[in-house]
């Protein structure tokens, strides 16, 4: 079956208010509605509402980089799904390797975030990926299987309609080293086979699986041409409109 592609920009902890609005507008101004392609940007929390206002009425979607699994409460510094929706976000990134390895988020917390976000009406970009040591020890598939089962525990087939998987090998994030097209395709095909075991072939064939990890204009077309690569989660290259738009164009075929 033909799947849409999703190109999402993860701005991480970059941009100030004016620059965020300018970047979002520059991207939105170049987008035309395409039923086969979704494009999103995920600014830092403080800029979500202003970016959403700038891109309102355009095809550009807005996401957040994290969330807390509660409706409200005494959780100093945290942001609830309902707040993100109210600010104009429709997607949220959960389980990014920087949150797993730098912020030390546990599998159980990540799973709570996934389930609560879906129940609140957010679409989830769920990140998985192995470290260099794990790849060198031939543990890639075992790591991906474990992260899929732990992160998606309690998510049913209907819930998977609002889940995007982002395969991001940790050794390729921000390093300038990206997986070869063969490595990316093999990992994506494995992820789809695991989804089929859990949810059945129909669900597995419908789920979008993005690649992330040093995606740039010069490697995007080859990566996105792979049969099981359904888009990209873009880091550094999403901070400049021209490079991000070049990746968007590569997804158009």
């Amino acid at each position: 079956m033909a799947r849409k592609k999703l190109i999402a920009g993860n701005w991480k902890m970059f941009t100030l208010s004016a620059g965020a609005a300018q970047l979002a507008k520059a991207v939105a101004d170049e987008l035309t509605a395409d039923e086969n392609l979704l494009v999103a940007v995920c600014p830092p929390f403080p800029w979500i509402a202003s970016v959403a206002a700038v891109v309102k009425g355009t095809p550009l979607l807005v996401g957040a980089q994290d969330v807390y699994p509660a409706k409200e409460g005494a959780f100093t510094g945290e942001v609830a799904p309902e707040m993100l929706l109210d600010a104009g976000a429709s997607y949220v990134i959960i389980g990014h390797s920087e949150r797993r390895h730098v912020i030390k988020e546990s599998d159980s917390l990540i799973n709570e975030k996934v389930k609560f976000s879906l129940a609140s009406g957010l679409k989830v970009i769920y990140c998985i990926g192995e470290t260099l040591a794990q790849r060198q020890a031939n543990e890639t598939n075992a790591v991906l299987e474990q992260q899929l089962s732990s992160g998606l525990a309690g998510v049913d087939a209907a819930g998977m309609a609002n889940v995007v998987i982002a395969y991001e090998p940790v050794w390729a994030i921000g390093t300038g080293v990206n997986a070869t097209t063969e490595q990316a395709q093999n990992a994506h095909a494995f992820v789809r086979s695991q989804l089929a075991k859990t949810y059945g072939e129909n669900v597995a064939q419908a789920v979008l699986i993005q690649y992330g990890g040093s995606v740039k204009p010069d490697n995007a077309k080859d990566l996105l041409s792979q049969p099981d690569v359904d888009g990209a989660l873009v880091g550094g290259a999403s901070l400049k409109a021209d490079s991000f738009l070049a990746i968007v164009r590569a997804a158009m075929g």
Side-chain angles (χ1 to χ4, degrees):
M1 66 178 287
R3 287 179 296 272
K4 294 181 180 183
K5 283 187 163 57
L6 170 61
I7 306 297
N10 176 11
W11 294 0
K12 305 191 181 183
M13 201 172 72
F14 293 101
T15 68
L16 296 178
S17 178
Q22 285 175 338
L23 176 55
K25 186 177 188 309
V27 172
D29 283 351
E30 294 296 319
L31 292 183
T32 53
D34 184 338
E35 62 184 18
N36 297 313
L37 179 64
L38 301 168
V39 183
V41 292
C42 301
F45 284 142
W47 319 141
I48 290 174
S50 56
V51 164
V54 166
V55 306
K56 190 172 183 179
T58 77
L60 186 58
L61 302 164
V62 180
Q65 299 174 25
D66 188 34
V67 68
Y68 191 78
K71 183 177 179 350
E72 57 187 12
F75 304 106
T76 300
E78 295 296 338
V79 178
E82 202 169 319
M83 295 174 181
L84 297 178
L85 289 161
D86 192 43
S90 53
Y91 284 89
V92 62
I93 299 170
I94 296 175
H96 193 282
S97 67
E98 290 156 5
R99 297 210 64 86
R100 293 179 189 268
H101 298 291
V102 180
I103 313 295
K104 308 298 183 188
E105 287 191 2
S106 67
D107 285 346
S108 61
L109 176 59
I110 289 167
N111 178 239
E112 287 301 314
K113 290 183 176 188
V114 169
K115 290 186 295 186
F116 202 87
S117 295
L118 291 172
S120 301
L122 282 168
K123 292 181 170 67
V124 168
I125 298 174
Y126 175 56
C127 300
I128 59 175
E130 81 284 8
T131 64
L132 181 59
Q134 289 165 334
R135 175 164 279 273
Q136 290 174 336
N138 294 315
E139 295 171 354
T140 297
N141 287 358
V143 171
L144 299 182
E145 183 178 359
Q146 185 274 323
Q147 290 177 342
L148 285 169
S149 62
S150 65
L152 299 176
V155 178
D156 61 13
M160 289 303 295
N162 290 310
V163 174
V164 174
I165 305 294
Y167 168 62
E168 294 203 305
V170 179
W171 46 273
I173 297 173
T175 61
V177 178
N178 64 292
T180 65
T181 52
E182 184 180 19
Q183 288 172 326
Q185 169 57 25
N186 288 346
H188 283 233
F190 175 77
V191 169
R192 206 173 300 283
S193 73
Q194 291 302 116
L195 294 174
K197 285 182 186 177
T198 306
Y199 297 105
E201 194 64 35
N202 287 346
V203 171
Q205 288 301 321
V207 172
L208 303 188
I209 307 174
Q210 297 176 298
Y211 172 77
S214 297
V215 179
K216 296 181 174 64
D218 60 0
N219 61 34
K221 196 166 187 66
D222 285 344
L223 287 164
L224 294 167
S225 68
Q226 300 304 302
D228 286 294
V229 178
D230 307 316
L233 185 56
V234 185
S238 71
L239 293 169
K240 292 185 178 175
D242 57 352
S243 57
F244 186 61
L245 286 163
I247 294 168
V248 170
R249 285 191 287 273
M252 294 175 177

